[in-house]
Amino acid sequence: MQKVLTGNQAVAWGVMCARAQVVSAYPITPQTTIIEEIAELVSSGRLNARFIKVESEHSAMAGCIGASQAGARAFTATSAQGLALMHELIHWAALARLPVVMADVNRAMAPGWTIWTDQNDTLSQRDTGWLQFYCETNQEVLDTILHSFKIAEIIKLPVMVVLDAFFLSHTAEAIDIPAMADCDAFLPPYQGDLIVDVDNPRAFGGMAGTDVYQEFRYLQQEGMDQALQVAVDVDREFRQRFGRSYGLIEKYRCEDAETVLVTSGTITSTARDTIDEWRDRGEAVGLLKMRTFRPFPIEMVREALRGVPKVGVIDRNICPGFGGIWAQEIKAALYDLDEKDRPAVYGFIAGLGGRDVTPITINEILSKTHHPEKTDRHLNWIELKA
Amino acid sequence: MSPEVKGQITYEIPDREIMSSGHLACPGCGAALAMRTCLKIMGPRTVLCVPACCWAVIDGPFPYSSAGVPVVHCAFETAAITATGVRHALDMRGVKDVTVIAWAGDGGTFDIGFGALSATAERNENILYICYDNEAYMNTGIQRSSATPVGAWTTTTPSQHPKEEPKKNLVEIMAAHRIPYAATATVAFPDDLTRKLEKAKAMTGFRLLHIFSPCPPGHKSVESDSIKISRLAVDTNVFPLYEVENGTHYTLSRQSKDVPIKEYVRLQGRFKHLNDQAIAAMQERVNREWKRLLKRIECSE
């Protein structure tokens, strides 16, 4: 079935397709239309779930944790300040190895108050043990919600599905809604094996001494390592069933490229057009779309960028005191390449607080990467007002 | 002076033990005794959600547990909402005959968990919330909470400057949410505790039990005095035993003995810096609160 949906509606419909059983959420712009749509789906009986209308994002995640620990498929959605408020429990869900799925609509952090997009909210949850997928289209949003529950339940780690505020969340496009029977075949009901059961009473999350805690962390990392392959397998199975595939990263016109731009989120779509224009002019430029932030697909990135002379990373985020976060990760991944294969990596900060990243912006970044004589190797602010 | 307490029945406490020995509570711990009694009544089809509090330790370290029922350890401020999540998940799985209990100390209830508690009560979630109240952050080394009584020493209210503010009245606040059931209890009156647990178990919606829980290391009392102290808390009217149904119907559970507060205070080192004048002021406050409670009961009838 084709339907015209906004990115936020696509999240809600993905949650319906996944037959989430408990939704625990609190409103925040620009996430609100996700939970409004879910409220409609639950009220109309199209989604058989409990919707706990909590008093804070902190409780939203705690509700998901309780529900997931007791064996239900649990979902929440938030943005920015809400995600930050959840932070303690974001760690908790991952260390408790609970397959919670959360959508975050990327919104810049206050102050000053802003509702517009950037990635600082989600990227600063890097070390919490959640998988993170960044979406480019509304179709990808819905599909990634389905992927995420499946991956989460296999590897017992929570997953964040990330979409740009307004550019995706409030922009409609025609998307394909998979049939419920196909969704059910792809994603069977959740059968947790370590869940609350009065016939087999266990304590979950009790005191961990110095003799065991480090091993919990080791196992969590092992789960992340497995996630790389599981995510690939799930993407492949999805393609076989539904005919669509995304990969953990996507190379776009990278053949023999002299310069490659690295993007994430909706900037990718704009950059595709710019790359096409440059290619039409005969320039050897390409694009690497980063869909997966955690686990970071180190080998795939190395393979994609091995031997490329120049790489420009566009960061709609800033790690103050260092620079762009994606650039930092890309550089770390490339460090172990032989020097002759190791690209020069140029970092660009653009589009913070929802500022438009237009073809003009991308052109400037591409030029500065392709002709880097006056470009800083580490950190370049684009369209910065004087 | 006190209204007559009608229909007092002695309840039988089941012989069965759900909780096992080997737990990590201090000698004379009221919270351990409260849990033991609670699980005897509630039985094995019970789930406990335990935030950071003494019971997060008492239950035992990974991979051990002394409760004998599933224990979901949860973040400090999340007992009520974690229990809510568990409840909805069990409902969705068709598991209806299990009681979900949020089991939290006074810090997790009166202070850091209060927002989630209030919201969970307002939504009338189908859980039983039990606060075992030892009147300070005992697990972290006896720091004051908003459940600490006026005049008490704690490590953050040293005896030169003991706590100046009165204890927050939890049951009145929760009653103002118009929840189906709120009641006080102590381990010194296991028959009363039993009756209230059985009553709460049979109800649906949000139920709250506030259990006064002596703590020898924190109250600076003798281990063998714990029952005596919790009995005196009731008989001095410091911690009256009563119930509130639907937020408005107050019922007294035990006649007042009007024992002078001095009898209660002198057994606890946390009050030893108080002079006669300070104790008289405490007595006055207790009398005032007691009269106010009697008025509420009177209005209910």
Side-chain angles (χ1 to χ4, degrees), chain A residues 21-22 24 48-50 52-55 58-59 62-63 65-72 88-89 92 195-199 201-208 212 216, chain B residues 24 44-47 56-57 59-62 65 68-75 77-78 81-82 84-86 88-93 96 98 115-116 119 123 125:
Chain A
Q21 294 166 295
V22 176
S24 170
N48 178 25
R50 297 290 182 91
I52 312 171
K53 288 141 197 168
V54 291
E55 85 295 348
H58 194 277
S59 285
I65 287 169
S68 187
Q69 193 74 78
E88 177 196 19
L89 296 169
W92 192 290
I195 58 173
V196 170
D197 177 5
V198 289
D199 296 318
R202 297 184 179 95
F204 301 92
M207 274 190 301
V212 291
F216 293 163
Chain B
L24 302 183
R45 298 193 73 75
T46 300
V47 177
V57 177
D59 187 52
F62 173 86
S65 176
V69 297
V71 177
V72 179
H73 289 275
C74 57
E77 59 281 56
T78 68
I81 177 62
T82 304
T84 299
V86 169
H88 284 291
L90 294 179
D91 287 348
M92 286 302 295
R93 287 171 50 203
K96 306 277 188 189
V98 166
R123 294 193 309 272
E125 299 286 358

Side-chain angles (χ1 to χ4, degrees), chain A residues 134-315:
Chain A
Y134 287 75
C135 298
E136 186 188 349
T137 66
N138 293 352
Q139 183 73 63
E140 187 177 349
V141 167
L142 185 145
D143 294 347
T144 304
I145 295 281
L146 272 170
H147 283 215
S148 296
F149 277 111
K150 185 154 180 127
I151 297 167
E153 288 165 17
I154 293 170
I155 59 162
K156 297 186 170 70
L157 280 174
V159 182
M160 219 179 277
V161 179
V162 184
L163 58 154
D164 287 356
F166 301 104
F167 298 122
L168 279 192
S169 68
H170 288 64
T171 306
E173 57 184 329
I175 65 173
D176 183 59
I177 312 284
M180 284 309 292
D182 294 333
C183 294
D184 291 344
F186 174 74
L187 182 67
Y190 174 48
Q191 300 286 351
D193 52 353
L194 283 169
I195 58 173
V196 170
D197 177 5
V198 289
D199 296 318
N200 187 4
R202 297 184 179 95
F204 301 92
M207 274 190 301
T210 51
D211 55 334
V212 291
Y213 184 88
Q214 186 162 311
E215 283 67 28
F216 293 163
R217 283 297 199 180
Y218 173 81
L219 292 169
Q220 194 183 31
Q221 171 61 27
E222 200 176 63
M224 276 287 182
D225 289 342
Q226 287 168 10
L228 280 171
Q229 187 57 48
V230 170
V232 169
D233 295 343
V234 166
D235 189 47
R236 185 183 304 125
E237 188 189 334
F238 193 86
R239 184 181 64 221
Q240 285 160 1
R241 217 175 266 286
F242 301 103
R244 293 185 296 274
S245 172
Y246 301 96
L248 302 196
I249 61 173
E250 182 198 333
K251 287 187 285 183
Y252 182 72
R253 305 192 77 171
C254 284
E255 316 78 45
D256 304 318
E258 194 185 322
T259 296
V260 170
L261 278 190
V262 180
T263 59
S264 55
T266 53
I267 289 176
T268 305
S269 302
T270 315
R272 284 181 200 273
D273 280 353
T274 309
I275 295 294
D276 288 345
E277 284 170 18
W278 282 53
R279 278 281 180 183
D280 290 348
R281 295 205 304 264
E283 303 275 7
V285 297
L287 176 67
L288 179 65
K289 167 186 170 178
M290 295 300 300
R291 177 167 174 262
T292 313
F293 180 67
R294 281 294 178 276
F296 199 79
I298 297 172
E299 283 305 326
M300 291 179 187
V301 169
R302 275 185 200 150
E303 206 40 55
L305 298 178
R306 179 192 302 274
V308 173
K310 292 164 287 190
V311 170
V313 183
I314 306 182
D315 270 297

